[in-house]
Amino acid sequence: MNRLHRLIVAAVALTGACAATAAPQVNDSWQTVAADDTVITNPTPHLTDSQLGFLREVGQRTWRLLSGPGVDPATSLPLASVLLAGRPAGTVELAPATADQQYTNPALIGNYLTAIAAAKDLGLDDHAQDKAAAVLARIQKLAKYNGFLFRWYSTTTGQAIEAPRGRPIKNGYVSTVDNAWLAQGMVTAGQAFPALTAGFQALLDAMQWDFLYNAGGNVLYNGFQVGGTYSDSTYDNMYSGPRIADYIAIGSGKVPGHLWWGLARTPPADHRQRQVPAGQNRTYSDPQDGQPYTIFEGHYVYDRIKFVPTFGGSMYQALAPAMVVPEQALAPQSLGMNNRNTALAQGAYGQYGAKTTVFGWSAATSPTGNQRYTNYGATELAINQGAVPDDVITPSAAFLAVPIIPEQAFDNISQLITRYPMIYNQYGLLDAVEAATGTLAPRFMAISQTAIMMAVDNAVNQDRLQGYFAAGPYAKLLFPYLSMERYSIHGLVGPG
């Protein structure tokens, strides 16, 4: 039994084992897997030695970028992107960083720390602790507000700036979700490198999460403009990337645990959305205050697979938090199963909806035009009724599925690289490909590369990366909430 499984076995016992149900007659492989209520909590045994070897190679190549040209040597901060100097090829040249690329943000810094921990786990860097220490020292120097970092920083000077490529600021914006990803990175690195624990913990203790809590709505604000006011928007949906902020806020003890019940599993039926959710109300007793809370546990359906949707049909929004928090093991009846069903529904959508053969949609670089960072999603899996383009696949989204549905996800990655071989080079995988034309985005994005490192570490090391958060200071208050629910997503819709 590995470290993660020892840490969470008691919490899993609270929910009971994931009971398998008899699979009905089904007509495709995605439904076949979804029909069984089993959730994979250790992906490594589901992959062959050759598959694990390939994933280690991907990790090695990705770390070559992240530990070298992907970091500004002046500050030890990760660059948001790295451009190619020429066309995509099996071996590529990188363009020198320009002023347009020399910026970063709190989420990138946090995920870079997590990638450093992954590199240690994978045996890729004998100086991983030194790299984490350099980032720690830099964070300690960065301008802050109530313990939070501002949205953007120059990687050459470490100054807070008003926008990417912008001027230094006096009053910056505090982004809730960006600081949550920073916090998880500091928790992870603090556990991965015990010599640095105290330094990271001091920074974590300084983050005043109650400042970002909207008590009236029982949700978190999207952020706060220093010198102004809170954002008009709040984080209302449970199943999205910003749930990492809810995890951190509850785990910190500075926000009441009943924040958990302020989040919608799906929007209300009368809310403008792509499907009208089915489901039922369930009542739970809060682990902290003991009060009963009734929530609607709804779901959408695609290819007879039931799932709780993200706003934009994004794999990153769905699965990135599960790379660092053990949702599969702690919440096999709810979030863990939904991770699995979402990944399977994305696969089905690739086959039947987008007809791309391969799958993996998240925000990524547009391969054409001015190569802007653009939101992509599995259109029919999104809450958003507006335009959700599905013409571009991003490898990082494909890799996020590997710890969740390892066999199907590895097959998808194999097809992706076979179909678009120039997407893979000595620095790992380029950020995106236009599926119909094979046009590749000629750059690497730090947010995507760090996600690949997280996924690879979990896939080849029995979810070891999740074990750092499980051993950290936020688990005690947070984990009882993860273990409670049973979503309305079990089995398939309709007869086989």
Side-chain angles (χ1 to χ4, degrees):
M1 183 178 289
N2 68 23
R3 182 184 184 217
L4 169 63
H5 294 159
R6 289 196 302 271
L7 287 163
I8 64 179
V9 65
V12 174
L14 294 174
T15 64
C18 229
T21 58
Q25 294 296 313
V26 294
N27 56 21
D28 70 21
S29 60
W30 312 108
Q31 292 181 26
T32 300
V33 179
D36 188 325
D37 280 355
T38 300
V39 171
I40 291 172
T41 58
N42 181 1
T44 310
H46 294 266
L47 297 164
T48 67
D49 288 345
S50 63
Q51 290 171 335
L52 293 170
F54 174 75
L55 291 173
R56 287 183 180 276
E57 177 190 282
V58 170
Q60 182 179 39
R61 294 188 182 195
T62 304
W63 186 240
R64 182 181 294 149
L65 179 85
L66 286 173
S67 61
V71 176
D72 195 318
T75 58
S76 299
L77 295 176
L79 297 165
S81 65
V82 177
L83 294 171
L84 298 187
R87 297 176 61 84
T91 300
V92 296
E93 293 186 12
L94 303 178
T98 66
D100 286 348
Q101 298 165 264
Q102 292 168 330
Y103 67 92
T104 194
N105 76 359
L108 298 183
I109 298 169
N111 287 4
Y112 176 52
L113 284 169
T114 305
I116 294 173
K120 177 192 76 73
D121 292 346
L122 293 164
L124 299 177
D125 199 319
D126 294 336
H127 302 286
Q129 180 168 297
D130 294 337
K131 288 181 171 63
V135 178
L136 168 60
R138 178 56 56 181
I139 297 172
Q140 290 169 333
K141 297 175 184 177
L142 296 179
K144 304 175 186 69
Y145 186 84
N146 279 352
F148 298 110
L149 295 190
F150 296 114
R151 175 171 277 176
W152 306 109
Y153 291 84
S154 164
T155 61
T156 58
T157 66
Q159 286 184 300
I161 53 179
E162 61 185 0
R165 304 169 293 280
R167 298 170 299 178
I169 57 169
K170 294 181 179 179
N171 295 322
Y173 181 79
V174 172
S175 166
T176 301
V177 66
D178 285 345
N179 276 280
W181 281 113
L182 171 66
Q184 73 75 27
M186 294 195 294
V187 170
T188 298
Q191 295 300 312
F193 307 105
L196 307 179
T197 302
F200 282 120
Q201 191 59 51
L203 291 167
L204 288 162
D205 290 343
M207 301 175 90
Q208 303 304 309
W209 286 99
D210 53 329
F211 171 72
L212 294 171
Y213 175 54
N214 179 335
N218 195 26
V219 290
L220 295 175
Y221 289 106
N222 284 28
F224 178 78
Q225 177 63 53
V226 178
T229 187
Y230 290 100
S231 61
D232 292 333
S233 301
T234 55
Y235 291 124
D236 299 339
N237 292 326
M238 166 65 78
Y239 199 63
S240 65
R243 71 182 181 274
I244 193 69
D246 301 303
Y247 291 173
I248 296 293
I250 292 172
S252 74
K254 296 175 182 178
V255 170
H258 62 243
L259 166 64
W260 189 264
W261 314 112
L263 304 169
R265 277 48 180 177
T266 55
D270 59 355
H271 188 277
R272 185 176 182 270
Q273 56 187 311
R274 200 169 290 270
Q275 294 186 31
V276 177
Q280 65 275 318
N281 291 321
R282 292 185 186 271
T283 300
Y284 298 92
S285 294
D286 186 272
Q288 292 185 28
D289 65 22
Q291 297 299 308
Y293 293 89
T294 299
I295 58 171
F296 177 65
E297 293 187 334
H299 62 261
Y300 282 14
V301 178
Y302 186 82
D303 192 35
R304 300 179 60 216
I305 301 169
K306 295 182 281 187
F307 62 96
V308 177
T310 63
F311 181 75
S314 161
M315 194 84 96
Y316 188 92
Q317 293 288 305
L319 301 185
M323 298 301 105
V324 292
V325 178
E327 294 177 349
Q328 303 305 102
L330 286 170
Q333 306 280 2
S334 54
L335 285 163
M337 183 173 291
N338 198 57
N339 293 335
R340 184 203 69 168
N341 287 8
T342 296
L344 293 171
Q346 283 233 350
Y349 182 74
Q351 183 172 351
Y352 305 121
K355 295 181 171 59
T356 53
T357 306
V358 292
F359 67 92
W361 291 274
S362 290
T365 304
S366 170
T368 57
N370 58 8
Q371 294 159 5
R372 294 183 61 184
Y373 197 64
T374 302
N375 288 319
Y376 298 100
T379 309
E380 294 180 41
L381 310 188
I383 293 171
N384 184 12
Q385 280 189 321
V388 180
D390 62 6
D391 54 322
V392 170
I393 301 291
T394 175
S396 63
F399 272 84
L400 287 173
V402 177
I404 310 298
I405 51 169
E407 294 99 335
Q408 296 85 357
F410 190 91
D411 180 64
N412 179 52
I413 290 166
S414 298
Q415 292 186 51
L416 179 70
I417 295 175
T418 299
R419 186 170 174 182
Y420 311 108
M422 295 300 101
I423 203 170
Y424 188 49
N425 55 65
Q426 80 270 31
Y427 293 110
L429 292 113
L430 295 175
D431 196 52
V433 59
E434 188 176 58
T437 65
T439 304
L440 297 167
R443 73 172 174 175
F444 303 91
M445 297 293 294
I447 194 70
S448 300
Q449 301 304 304
T450 54
I452 290 172
M453 288 293 295
M454 295 180 203
V456 168
D457 188 13
N458 282 319
V460 306
N461 285 319
Q462 303 181 73
D463 282 336
R464 183 183 298 176
L465 193 65
Q466 297 174 350
Y468 296 125
F469 194 95
Y474 292 78
K476 182 178 180 180
L477 292 176
L478 172 65
F479 280 10
Y481 290 93
L482 283 163
S483 302
M484 293 185 71
E485 292 183 64
R486 178 184 172 87
Y487 286 179
S488 62
I489 57 174
H490 294 244
L492 299 175
V493 172

